[in-house]
Amino acid sequence: MLNGFRVITSGVVLGAILLSGCNNTAESDEAQQEKSPVMNENPDSNTGETPNAKVIKKGVSDVIQSIKGLESEISTESDSEKIQVMGKEISSTWDSIEKLVEDEYPDWYERIEKNLYPLIGESGNPDKDLEKIKRLSEATKEDLQLFLEEVK
């Protein structure tokens, strides 16, 4: 009976030690992150990229790829339905980062959407103006490329 009690007590003590060790590690990592210098303070010594910037850059790159896909559909004179699907894909991809862009880069947000929304709208139009779609897609891609250079 006494041996069983020792085994259980030893197990509980060992478990508590292991758990407290895990907890201390997590706290020290958080404390180190809080004490570490803010990225962007010295852009020469680090990439300076914030977590939101990574999300925005990935999202913008995805939107650009979707626009390129739309352009290739137009150049092969694909059917109207396929162009509409590509427009919805562009819209959905942009929606995933839209709020971040609007909050962190309001001027760019307005600039990008001046061409992006008409592009999405025209791609969904039953009587598509392919020249207009080409013009809007080029302007939108150009704005997005310039925007990528600004995101930090």
Side-chain angles (χ1 to χ4, degrees):
M1 180 80 171
L2 190 58
N3 282 338
F5 179 76
R6 284 184 186 159
V7 170
I8 292 173
T9 304
S10 296
V12 169
V13 170
L14 182 60
I17 291 170
L18 289 173
L19 288 176
S20 67
C22 292
N23 191 24
N24 286 341
T25 302
E27 285 177 15
S28 66
D29 285 348
E30 289 172 12
Q32 283 179 344
Q33 285 178 348
E34 288 176 10
K35 293 176 186 173
S36 69
V38 177
M39 303 288 278
N40 283 342
E41 278 185 357
N42 186 355
D44 296 331
S45 67
N46 59 50
T47 62
E49 199 169 87
T50 65
N52 282 349
K54 289 180 182 182
V55 171
I56 290 171
K57 285 182 175 183
K58 168 88 171 84
V60 168
S61 295
D62 291 347
V63 172
I64 291 170
Q65 288 306 313
S66 294
I67 292 172
K68 287 178 179 178
L70 175 66
E71 288 174 331
S72 74
E73 289 300 323
I74 291 170
S75 68
T76 60
E77 297 184 16
S78 183
D79 64 57
S80 180
E81 189 175 306
K82 180 70 174 170
I83 293 171
Q84 185 173 353
V85 168
M86 298 299 294
K88 286 180 181 177
E89 179 182 316
I90 293 168
S91 178
S92 174
T93 306
W94 174 250
D95 286 349
S96 70
I97 59 165
E98 180 177 18
K99 185 69 176 147
L100 277 176
V101 175
E102 183 178 19
D103 289 347
E104 295 190 24
Y105 302 91
D107 294 338
W108 275 105
Y109 172 78
E110 285 183 34
R111 178 176 172 175
I112 291 165
E113 290 205 338
K114 282 183 181 172
N115 291 312
L116 179 65
Y117 279 140
L119 171 62
I120 293 167
E122 189 61 40
S123 67
N125 190 345
D127 300 319
K128 293 170 184 35
D129 181 342
L130 297 184
E131 286 306 313
K132 184 175 182 181
I133 292 175
K134 286 179 189 177
R135 209 172 45 252
L136 290 168
S137 67
E138 278 301 316
T140 304
K141 270 193 331 190
E142 184 178 322
D143 285 344
L144 290 170
Q145 291 287 0
L146 292 170
F147 174 59
L148 273 178
E149 295 171 16
E150 295 290 319
V151 177
K152 291 184 172 56

